[in-house]
Amino acid sequence: MIFIPHDKKLDRSLTGYTLIMPSVSVGNVGQLAVDILITNLSTEKIGLIHHPAIYPLVGGDPYDPNSNDVVTSADLHLVHELPLVIMQIRAPLIKGERPKFLSELSAWCKSAGIQDIVLLASCNAYERWENNQLTGSQLRYLTSKVPQNDVELLKSVGASELEERVDEFGNKHRFLSGAGFVKQFMETCDLPVAALFKFVDEGDNTHDAFVLVNFLNAWKKLLQTADPSWKAPFSWRNMFGGAAPNSIY
């Protein structure tokens, strides 16, 4: 994995920082949530990530209509007020290259001094399987190597750990339908990782993204307000195209 700084003279330590990134998953909820964070936090684009596992992509700046900057498949943003960096991944991973990318991403995080990682993702709502998943909060979390006090904070904001399933052989496992690379990355990375999920259906998933961001904010206190008012990213204005022309009626 290659990190290409936005400014070749950039010399910035990420030691002690938290990395927030999406897993490309059902409804693109993690990616939408990351767009909300980049729009509402004081961020600076510090570079891009290049790897053969990520489908190539280039486009205009989705956060500022007056900018001449371009975005790629994976960009990295620094949050000024917090020890926080945000990675946006805009394209799915090529299946055969995915293990190598996740391994190299984990190694890069360690070499850059990243302290812990938060994954934002979603799961297929139609795969819910027991009463406590079908009703009540649709938010879940999973953690790996996360300190117990942080896990207790997650529980204190009303979060529930993703339930285990029992297969026909009596073995317990976590079923992450539609969640992308979450499980594989958590098994690969030896840094503390927390994954925050929401059960969703495909469609207009912008509301799900706001719910997921509120969940993250309640835990990490990114904005010091109990009921933050998140601004929608500029690029969402034309997400579903313009209104139907009157001439068709």
Side-chain angles (χ1 to χ4, degrees):
M1 191 186 85
I2 303 174
F3 169 62
I4 303 174
H6 196 254
D7 181 346
K8 291 184 179 180
K9 297 180 180 179
L10 181 69
D11 182 17
R12 190 189 304 275
S13 171
L14 300 179
T15 300
Y17 276 61
T18 294
L19 171 66
I20 295 178
M21 59 182 287
S23 172
V24 183
S25 46
V26 57
N28 303 108
V29 176
Q31 295 158 292
L32 293 171
V34 166
D35 269 349
I36 295 171
L37 294 176
I38 294 172
T39 297
N40 288 271
L41 300 178
S42 179
T43 61
E44 173 193 359
K45 182 179 174 182
I46 59 173
L48 60 90
I49 302 296
H50 173 72
H51 194 277
I54 311 176
Y55 283 98
L57 176 152
V58 66
D61 191 328
Y63 311 113
D64 181 0
N66 299 313
S67 171
N68 293 320
D69 195 13
V70 297
V71 298
T72 62
S73 303
D75 296 325
L76 202 64
H77 300 255
L78 181 93
V79 180
H80 293 285
E81 291 85 0
L82 302 168
L84 181 69
V85 287
I86 302 173
M87 182 187 296
Q88 176 62 295
I89 301 177
R90 297 184 175 87
L93 301 182
I94 298 171
K95 188 175 181 180
E97 297 285 343
R98 183 165 64 180
K100 184 178 180 182
F101 170 73
L102 298 179
S103 176
E104 292 182 9
L105 175 60
S106 176
W108 178 83
C109 289
K110 287 192 69 175
S111 66
I114 296 294
Q115 177 176 287
D116 59 341
I117 300 164
V118 178
L119 293 176
L120 301 179
S122 46
C123 289
N124 282 308
Y126 68 80
E127 293 282 7
R128 294 170 296 172
W129 66 286
E130 58 179 27
N131 288 338
N132 61 336
Q133 289 188 345
L134 294 170
T135 61
S137 174
Q138 298 300 289
L139 295 165
R140 295 293 186 275
Y141 72 85
L142 277 180
T143 61
S144 172
K145 304 178 182 68
V146 173
Q148 188 59 35
N149 61 321
D150 279 342
V151 176
E152 294 302 322
L153 279 174
L154 265 173
K155 294 178 180 178
S156 72
V157 300
S160 299
E161 187 175 17
L162 184 67
E163 297 83 356
E164 291 183 319
R165 293 194 183 192
V166 181
D167 63 23
E168 64 271 26
F169 304 106
N171 300 316
K172 294 182 178 181
H173 64 100
R174 312 283 183 181
F175 186 62
L176 304 174
S177 172
F181 58 74
V182 168
K183 185 175 182 181
Q184 192 173 3
F185 183 71
M186 294 184 79
E187 292 172 349
T188 300
C189 187
D190 55 4
L191 292 172
V193 180
L196 309 185
F197 306 88
K198 187 177 186 295
F199 291 115
V200 306
D201 292 306
E202 290 274 12
D204 181 353
N205 296 100
T206 53
H207 173 72
D208 299 311
F210 281 116
V211 172
L212 191 60
V213 167
N214 280 326
F215 178 23
L216 171 66
N217 188 64
W219 179 39
K220 287 293 189 179
K221 301 294 188 295
L222 304 179
L223 295 181
Q224 298 300 317
T225 175
D227 187 22
S229 178
W230 303 99
K231 182 172 67 173
F234 161 77
S235 57
W236 290 13
R237 296 182 185 181
N238 298 310
M239 187 179 294
F240 297 100
N246 292 329
S247 59
I248 70 172
Y249 299 108

